[in-house]
Each structure stands twice: as C-alpha cells, then as structure tokens.
Amino acid sequence: MQNKAVVVGGGICGLMAALLLKRNFKEVTLIEQSDEVGGLFRSVKDDLGAYYDMGSHIPNATGIEELDTLLFGAPHEQGNHWNVIKKLKSGNYFGGSWDLNSPFADSKKLDVATYQQGCSELIQSTTPSSQNHIMPYCQEVLGETFTQHIIKPILEKLYGRHTDLSKLTMGAGLFGFTRILAFDAEVANALKDLPVFDAKLGYQTEAHFIARQQKDASSTPDYYYPTSHCGIQAWVDYLKTKVEQAGVDIRCNCKISSLETRARKVEKVFIEGEPQALECDLLFWSAPPFIALNALGLPVVANRPELRTAIVFHLNLSKPLVDKQSHYLWVWDKYSDIFRLTLYPNLNPQSEFNTLSAEILCRPEEVENYQLDAIMHELKEMQVVDPNATCLSHVKQVIHNTFPVPTEAFEQNNEKNYSTLASSVDNIIISGRSGGKQWRQADVLVAAFNEINQYLGAG
Ligand SMILES: Cc1cc2nc3c(=O)[nH]c(=O)nc-3n(C[C@H](O)[C@H](O)[C@H](O)COP(=O)(O)OP(=O)(O)OC[C@H]3O[C@@H](n4cnc5c(N)ncnc54)[C@H](O)[C@@H]3O)c2cc1C
C-alpha cells in the first residue's frame, strides 16, 4: 500500500477519485475550495422545502460495472435510492410548437420556400466536413439556409448576440445540436443509413431510433435520479458519506497556496493559512490546471475566455405541469430566452411539488434583465405551465463562470497549460471537466477511473 494521496477539487470527479484511491493509499486528503463538496451536482431548497438542481441533473451509468457500483451502489440496492430511467425523454420547442420526440429543431416548421431551399442545399453536400469551427461546419454539412435559420439563432441564444460566431469552435456544439430534422420521417430514416447523412439528421420517431439501436447492437445507458426529495444533492450526500466512511479526510474552504517538488514529484502541498504542509505521494488534480501551474511557479498561458453566466429560475407551481412525460426539454425558439427546462415530477414521481427549472445563459451584467414574471409568461405561452398556475415559491439562482465561449485560442491555451503541467510533474493525474479533455459527467468519470487504474498499475 502506498502512503499519501491528495485530491484537489471536490466535485463528483474528486469524490470518486478519493474513494478509489483510498483502496491503495493509507491517507487520502480531499481539498475543496468552497464550503461544500459536489461541484455542479448540487441542489438548492426554497422557502416551502422544494429542492431544485443547480447545474447538472441526471447522471448516467458508465457501463463499467465496478465504477457504477462505486457511484450508484450494488445493482440489487439501486431501487432503494434511485429512479432508474431506461429512456430519457426529451423534446424541443421550435417554430412556436413542441416536438416531444426529438431534441433537434424541425426545419419543416420554417416557411415553405426557406425549407425547400434548405433541403436542396442539405442534400447536395455529400462529403464529411473536417471543419473545426462550428459555423463553417454547419454551412458545409447543413447548408447556408438551415445554418442561418436554425443554427445561428441557437448559437446566439447560448453564446450571446455580441459573440463573433465565426470564432466558435466545434466545442460550441456541446449539446449535440449540429443535427436537425428534415424530410419525411421515412426518408430521413433511410438517409441516416448513410454516415454523411447520419451526421446531418435526427430521427423523427422513437421507433426509428430503436430500430437503429437494434441494428447496431448498441444501447443507451441507464439514467439515475434520486428517489429522495433532496434532488441530485442526494447523490453527492451518498458519495460524501462513502468517502468519509472510507476514511478520507475532506477539507472544505481550503485553497492551495503552493506545491513543493523534488525530482519531478510533488512532495508537499501547502494550504493557505496552514503552516503544516500535506505530504504527497500522488496528486489527483480536478481543478483548473493553471492553478497548479501557479502553485508550482511554472509559466501559465493567460487564458481568460468569456465565461457565460447561467440564470436558473427554479419554480414551484400551484398546478401540475402540463407535460407529464418529458424529463427535460430544449427551447430552441429564438423568441424565448430560456434554453432548457427540467421537469422534476417526471424525474421523480415521488415528488410532492409541481416543480421545474428554467435555464438562461447570459453575460454577468445582464442578470437583472431576467425577471420571474416574464419567465412565467413565457412558460404559459409555451404551454408547459397551466395558464391558471401561480408560482408558490421560487429561487432565482445565478451561477457565474459556467460555459466558456469556446474559441481556438481558448482551446490552444488550455491544451498548453495542461501539457506544461503534465510534462513537468510525474506524480500527478490531471482530470475532471476543468482539465478540458472531457465535459460530460460519465466521460469525466470513466477517464478518471481509467487514469487512476493505469497510474496504480504502472506504479
Ligand atoms: C450548466 C452545466 C450543465 C451541465 N449539464 C450536463 C448534462 O446535462 N449532462 C452531463 O453529462 N454533463 C453536464 N455538465 C457537465 C458536468 O457538470 C460535469 O461533467 C461534472 O460536473 C464534472 O465533475 P468535476 O468534478 O470534474 O467538476 P465540477 O463539478 O466543476 O467540480 C469541480 C470542483 O472543484 C472545485 N475547485 C475548483 N478549483 C479548486 C481549487 N483551486 N481548489 C480546490 N477545489 C477547487 C470546485 O469548487 C468544484 O467543487 C454540465 C455542466 C454545466 C456547467
């Protein structure tokens, strides 16, 4: 057994890492800068006791049995704590109406002339695109007309009208909205057998999607939502308890002041305000790499991308939600400020509240432009909320520094900082969403799990 590991960052990545490392290290210390662990998987409570999720909501199984047991408990116990969701139901609002079968905007809702022009352009491009920027990629793959009428308004909603869209890299497609719906459902289904059209089009019916999965012998993972009334926070609380029971020392409200190395190894971790350093045989780093570079006194490439502020309106309504099937919904219509809705009673049927969260992305100085009355009005117009419903309680949550506006410079600088750190120190694992290699929860956790096992196997 090795001696001492230090984990920096107490999000789900750091919590999982601490749990795994405690099997091999006598002492593991987890350092978190804020007053609670959990990172983006945390929940807030309103005055009437309803819980809402802050950022990410619905974790999914990773497909690695050992890791899934670590994260969600043994399969036979999962029913006690989790609503296991076999098929996550999503839909989108575009062109003034809902499509509850697909997350992708339907080009058939554009006016006839625009639709026909768009289809003729879309069908003409038959070579895959190698573009690294999202606008030229969509122009090549979907054609100019659909890019201007569907993709451009979505990008403006997510990244702001002030943003130079031509600078956005493919990282801007993080919600996978580079596909659209077009043609008759049967025609689209047939076209999707060709990889070049698969990249352009979404399925229009669940039956087509399932048939494709059966043909490819692929499957979608199980999704999990806690049965507890505390929202996704219950997952963090579950992991935190496991981490504590394993004997990991969790330290919140702590900041790293410096890292001391010898022979390319971090040997001491200094915490602000604490004279005694932590001894370190392995450093697991799930905070932004530039912070480690600063603590090591190594060169940092200044990387200040514009970071989007998320405003989340968490609402507890007097009447049941109109949509009783969708777990979450995209709002791609340019006339609404909202981009995503989460419908809690559909995630957790045990919930006693009629709750939903509506998310908006903006600049920090625009936060006051968005008010409850206007959001309620939009939700009633979209018929997600009953026209006679009132808001019984709510939380307007503002989360700064969520998504970076992804540009080439930002990605290159991130990569430079990551590689400077990775090539300077031998006993470090750089992981988590801040490392910039993965973003989605399951991808982040699988990468961290593999990196730890690889490190321990090599050691
Ligand atoms: C708005 C939003 C929506 C998302 N939706 C989805 C989704 O629908 N599906 C999906 O799969 N993924 C989603 N994600 C991504 C998902 O949230 C991440 O995959 C996940 O949070 C990664 O966990 P993490 O521990 O790496 O990072 P985080 O959750 O960001 O946790 C990092 C932790 O490190 C701490 N920290 C930072 N710096 C320091 C420091 N110097 N010292 C100590 N601690 C530090 C932070 O306080 C935080 O607790 C979303 C992300 C955002 C921003």
Side-chain angles (χ1 to χ4, degrees), residues 8-14 31-34 36 38-41 55-56 60 175 254-256 285-288 291 340 359 402-403 432-434 439-442 444:
V8 177
I12 42 147
C13 181
I31 307 291
E32 167 57 46
Q33 69 175 4
S34 65
E36 287 282 352
L40 284 164
F41 280 88
S56 310
N60 63 274
F175 293 118
C254 278
K255 281 208 172 123
I256 307 292
W285 192 270
S286 66
I291 296 174
R340 190 162 68 166
E359 295 170 66
T402 56
F403 298 110
R433 112 186 141 97
S434 304
W439 183 80
R440 288 187 174 274
Q441 152 265 327
V444 163

Side-chain angles (χ1 to χ4, degrees), residues 261-277:
T261 55
R262 215 173 72 175
R264 294 179 51 85
K265 293 201 164 176
V266 175
E267 287 200 330
K268 285 190 167 53
V269 175
F270 288 88
I271 296 172
E272 266 177 28
E274 293 188 18
Q276 190 72 28

